[in-house]
């Protein structure tokens, strides 16, 4: 599976559906290989092919021995256009579907990165959707805490349902470092008369 860019472990986790600790574990155990990535100055960079291996490892790794897994990966390299790969007498892996799903997530991440930016002096430098002052991590946090998508869209008219999807994948691929800033420090409020109730919150936000 070819791609013009490499991915960080966090990006690989978001795209493959493998937890970040499991991604590092796969790298440490050389289940997948990393590559130098001087352009992004990353010590652990993964190719699109490595992401496909992670995706398959997540999907069928539990039923494959290490030897059969390596045979699967070698067969994919030998036949990159093959839709299915037979790993033994009983198991056929649908590599084509894995490629399709992974490619869709890669495109979503690329679109998210094109739609999101950090601007000095805007919301304290927090990543926002371009042309707005809406912090992406705030949107993702509300979704993670169970806020209704319709309520978020009502509170932030500049957002679309597609942008909510992009917020999810971008935040997963770019986890914040250190402690998150309190929402009050960002001067955030929902511009809606209908409050959004967040699970586990002490009080509902004011409209």
């Amino acid at each position: 599976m070819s791609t013009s860019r490499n991915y960080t472990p966090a990006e690989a986790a978001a795209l493959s559906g493998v937890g970040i600790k499991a991604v590092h574990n796969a790298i440490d155990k050389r289940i997948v290989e990393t590559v130098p990535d001087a352009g992004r100055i990353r010590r652990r960079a993964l190719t699109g092919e490595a992401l496909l291996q992670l995706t398959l490892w997540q999907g069928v790794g539990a039923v494959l021995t290490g030897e059969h897994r390596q045979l699967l990966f070698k067969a994919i390299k030998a036949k990159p256009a093959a839709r299915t790969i037979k790993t033994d007498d009983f198991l056929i892996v649908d590599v084509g579907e894995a490629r399709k799903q992974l490619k869709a997530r890669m495109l979503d991440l690329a679109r998210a990165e094109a739609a999101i930016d950090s601007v000095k002096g805007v919301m304290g430098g927090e990543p926002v959707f371009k042309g707005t002052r809406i912090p992406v991590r705030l949107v993702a946090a509300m979704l993670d805490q169970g806020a209704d998508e319709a309520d978020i869209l009502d509170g932030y008219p500049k957002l679309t349902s597609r942008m909510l999807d992009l917020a999810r994948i971008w935040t997963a691929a770019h986890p914040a470092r250190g402690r998150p800033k309190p929402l009050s420090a960002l001067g955030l409020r929902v511009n809606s008369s209908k409050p959004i109730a967040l699970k586990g919150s002490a009080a509902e936000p004011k409209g």
Side-chain angles (χ1 to χ4, degrees):
M1 182 171 183
S2 61
T3 178
S4 59
R5 62 168 283 187
N6 297 324
Y7 298 87
T8 66
E11 290 169 341
L15 294 171
S16 67
V18 179
I20 184 63
K21 290 184 179 180
V23 171
H24 283 294
N25 185 46
I27 295 172
D28 291 338
K29 293 184 176 180
R30 302 184 69 84
I31 293 172
V32 296
E33 299 290 334
T34 58
V35 296
D37 193 1
R40 302 180 74 192
I41 317 178
R42 306 293 187 187
R43 292 185 178 181
R44 292 189 161 194
L46 296 96
T47 63
E49 186 67 30
L51 264 62
L52 177 60
Q53 293 174 353
L54 279 172
T55 301
L56 293 171
W57 179 52
Q58 171 80 355
V60 299
V63 298
L64 292 178
T65 64
E67 180 182 0
H68 280 90
R69 183 182 64 241
Q70 290 304 319
L71 289 174
L72 170 63
F73 293 169
K74 287 180 180 179
I76 293 172
K77 287 183 178 181
K79 299 179 179 179
R83 180 167 182 82
T84 60
I85 298 290
K86 187 175 181 180
T87 60
D88 57 28
D89 292 337
F90 305 101
L91 181 63
I92 297 177
V93 179
D94 190 345
V95 180
E97 182 61 25
R99 285 196 188 97
K100 178 182 177 181
Q101 293 180 15
L102 182 57
K103 183 178 180 180
R105 291 194 291 268
M106 287 176 169
L107 289 173
D108 280 348
L109 179 58
R111 292 184 181 111
E113 290 175 339
I116 295 166
D117 198 9
S118 298
V119 181
K120 185 177 181 180
V122 176
M123 304 309 293
E126 282 291 305
V128 297
F129 287 103
K130 291 180 179 179
T132 78
R133 296 174 62 85
I134 304 172
V136 177
R137 290 195 174 99
L138 169 67
V139 174
M142 288 192 292
L143 290 168
D144 288 344
Q145 294 178 53
D148 187 78
E149 290 190 8
D151 288 343
I152 296 176
L153 296 176
D154 186 48
Y156 293 96
K158 290 186 177 181
L159 292 180
T160 65
S161 58
R162 181 60 175 149
M163 292 167 77
L164 300 187
D165 293 336
L166 297 183
R168 286 189 178 101
I169 192 167
W170 187 93
T171 303
H174 300 89
R177 295 181 179 181
R179 294 184 177 182
K181 295 181 181 179
L183 302 184
S184 58
L186 300 176
L188 300 175
R189 66 185 181 87
V190 178
N191 298 320
S192 170
S193 60
K194 185 176 182 179
I196 300 175
L198 303 182
K199 292 182 179 179
S201 60
E204 294 181 348
K206 295 181 180 181

